[in-house]
Amino acid sequence: MMDEENFDKFALPCLEKIATELKGRYPDVPLMVFCRGACYANDKVSKLGFDVVCIDGSVDRTEGRSAVGGRCGLQGNYDPQELIEENGKTVETVRETAKAMLEELGPQRLIANLGEGLGGKESPELVRAFVDAIHEESEAIIAADTSM
């Protein structure tokens, strides 16, 4: 992995050039960036013109959201281990953990995704419960915020 000093020196200027060039050529195409293992740079990266910054599983969700603020969207990251019945997971636990993710990341400007994707052991019922919970809980949180 690259330390912060070298990331700032070498990677950040390249990412800025990439964002500037692609946005110049394709201004209406959303642009995402994922700095695996370098999420300490998400604050800086969020200022480069990317539409979405992705966080990995090592990032505290509330810190991830506060790092990018309202500058861009966030793609954040649900643990697929929560979707495996053999791990003791149920529709109820999926619903609770999905809601917790939304409360930490906020439902607006969020792409809710699975951190490492599906590995084949996940229960289709629990995957469906995750998708349903994201939609239903997002709507509830947004409705509660607009009614205040």
Side-chain angles (χ1 to χ4, degrees):
M1 296 295 157
M2 191 178 290
D3 64 36
E4 191 165 356
E5 180 181 343
N6 284 316
F7 186 92
D8 290 352
K9 183 176 180 180
F10 297 108
L12 205 58
C14 293
L15 288 170
E16 183 173 24
K17 186 173 183 177
I18 290 167
T20 301
E21 185 67 29
L22 287 174
K23 277 301 185 180
R25 290 183 190 187
Y26 311 103
D28 298 327
V29 176
L31 189 57
M32 299 173 78
V33 63
F34 177 42
C35 301
R36 181 183 291 274
C39 287
Y40 53 76
N42 284 347
D43 175 55
K44 295 173 185 170
V45 171
S46 73
K47 298 172 185 172
L48 299 180
F50 292 95
D51 298 292
V52 177
V53 171
C54 306
I55 61 171
D56 64 30
S58 69
V59 176
D60 176 270
R61 290 176 181 153
T62 54
E63 289 177 17
R65 173 52 76 191
S66 68
V68 303
R71 288 182 295 277
C72 62
L74 191 64
Q75 180 168 303
N77 169 347
Y78 187 78
D79 184 355
Q81 295 294 312
E82 295 291 330
L83 303 174
I84 300 174
E85 289 176 332
E86 289 80 20
N87 292 346
K89 305 307 178 181
T90 65
V91 169
E92 292 76 27
T93 63
V94 169
R95 196 161 197 70
E96 290 168 10
T97 54
K99 182 178 180 180
M101 181 182 80
L102 290 169
E103 289 170 344
E104 293 165 346
L105 294 175
Q108 300 284 18
R109 301 192 76 183
L110 173 67
I111 300 170
N113 76 319
L114 300 177
E116 300 297 325
L118 296 173
K121 294 181 179 179
E122 298 81 7
S123 158
E125 178 186 15
L126 297 184
V127 172
R128 179 65 177 178
F130 169 71
V131 172
D132 290 345
I134 292 298
H135 287 279
E136 293 164 11
E137 296 297 337
S138 291
E139 289 174 12
I141 293 169
I142 292 166
D145 284 348
T146 59
S147 68
M148 292 180 171

